[in-house]
Amino acid sequence: LTSLGAQAQINELGIFAGGANYIGDVGPTNYVKPNDLALGVIYKWNRSPRHSWRASFTYADISSKDVDSDMSGREQRGYEFKNTVKELSLGLEFNFFDFNLHEPDFKITPYIYSGLSYFWSDELYIQNGVTRRLDSKGNLAIPMTVGLKTNILENFVLGFEVGARYTFTDNLDGSNNDDYPQLAFGNLESNDWYVFTGFTLTYTFGVKPCYCAE
């Protein structure tokens, strides 16, 4: 059974744990500065040693304050907001080096991931400096992730990744609510981003595949 299990690694199932930050019209403009918790689950189907189909669900808080910005205009304005992101993401993960989990030797590789994400977040607007919350709404985003992973133990893969999401909304922060156009502020021509930074830990299992040319 032990020998059979060591060869059965076409699937990966695991967790993501780390932090989240947002980039937009409120607070600092740092690209990678996790300041809120992000947790998720990940599934991968290893199509070959170089690429995997990947699905994930991630829950994260995002927040920002103008007082933390190094831009004087934002510091004086003094806005702040809090929101949540619940993201379902599907796409392709590509390994720069062969990462064949059916071989017992130590392996390490950088990787990239992209695809399409659909996320839910609350609609916000800011009035007289106070953030007001409306119903949740879904939007699309494009994930752009870079990472590094290695097989730390038999059947376990540890990774570290940074994943930026370009969203198709400018209202994660309440700066551009369609129902309150008179309250809009900031750069109305630039959509918001959010970033997940953290570790992945997956367990490998399943029927050993045949990596053959078609």
Side-chain angles (χ1 to χ4, degrees):
L1 289 176
T2 302
S3 175
L4 183 62
Q7 296 183 4
Q9 298 172 338
I10 188 174
N11 301 293
E12 293 182 50
L13 181 64
I15 60 171
F16 169 87
N21 68 281
Y22 127 101
I23 309 164
D25 297 302
V26 176
T29 55
N30 306 80
Y31 290 107
V32 181
K33 190 179 180 181
N35 61 335
D36 288 293
L37 182 64
L39 296 171
V41 292
I42 297 176
Y43 169 76
K44 300 179 187 180
W45 182 62
N46 296 305
R47 180 64 181 84
S48 80
R50 282 297 184 95
H51 74 284
S52 305
W53 295 106
R54 167 171 162 170
S56 64
F57 179 80
T58 308
Y59 178 93
D61 294 321
I62 55 172
S63 64
S64 198
K65 298 180 179 181
D66 279 343
V67 294
D68 296 327
S69 173
D70 56 5
M71 301 171 64
S72 59
R74 293 193 180 189
E75 285 185 296
Q76 295 172 8
R77 185 179 61 190
Y79 285 174
E80 62 181 81
F81 82 96
K82 292 183 179 180
N83 210 334
T84 59
V85 171
K86 297 177 282 291
E87 180 201 78
L88 177 64
S89 186
L90 302 170
L92 183 69
E93 182 175 296
F94 175 79
N95 303 322
F96 284 90
F97 308 137
D98 279 353
F99 201 73
N100 190 344
L101 294 175
H102 312 291
E103 299 173 353
D105 56 313
F106 173 80
K107 291 168 285 293
I108 186 169
T109 182
Y111 64 90
I112 57 175
Y113 165 75
S114 189
L116 189 65
S117 296
Y118 189 84
F119 69 95
W120 296 264
S121 61
D122 291 339
E123 284 291 284
L124 308 176
Y125 68 96
I126 299 179
Q127 186 175 38
N128 299 324
V130 178
T131 303
R132 305 187 186 277
R133 192 174 307 275
L134 301 174
D135 292 337
S136 181
K137 181 180 180 181
N139 283 287
L140 293 172
I142 299 175
M144 292 168 275
T145 299
V146 295
L148 184 71
K149 62 183 178 182
T150 182
N151 55 330
I152 54 171
L153 294 171
E154 184 179 351
N155 296 92
F156 285 94
V157 178
L158 177 67
F160 177 79
E161 63 182 42
V162 178
R165 271 68 169 172
Y166 171 77
T167 75
F168 289 83
T169 178
D170 187 32
N171 198 46
L172 285 177
D173 49 19
S175 66
N176 192 9
N177 192 304
D178 292 337
D179 294 332
Y180 298 90
Q182 71 278 11
L183 300 177
F185 63 90
N187 185 355
L188 304 183
E189 303 300 321
S190 177
N191 288 343
D192 296 331
W193 295 68
Y194 60 92
V195 182
F196 295 152
T197 304
F199 291 91
T200 63
L201 180 64
T202 57
Y203 175 76
T204 63
F205 65 96
V207 179
K208 182 178 179 179
C210 177
Y211 297 133
C212 304
E214 296 181 358

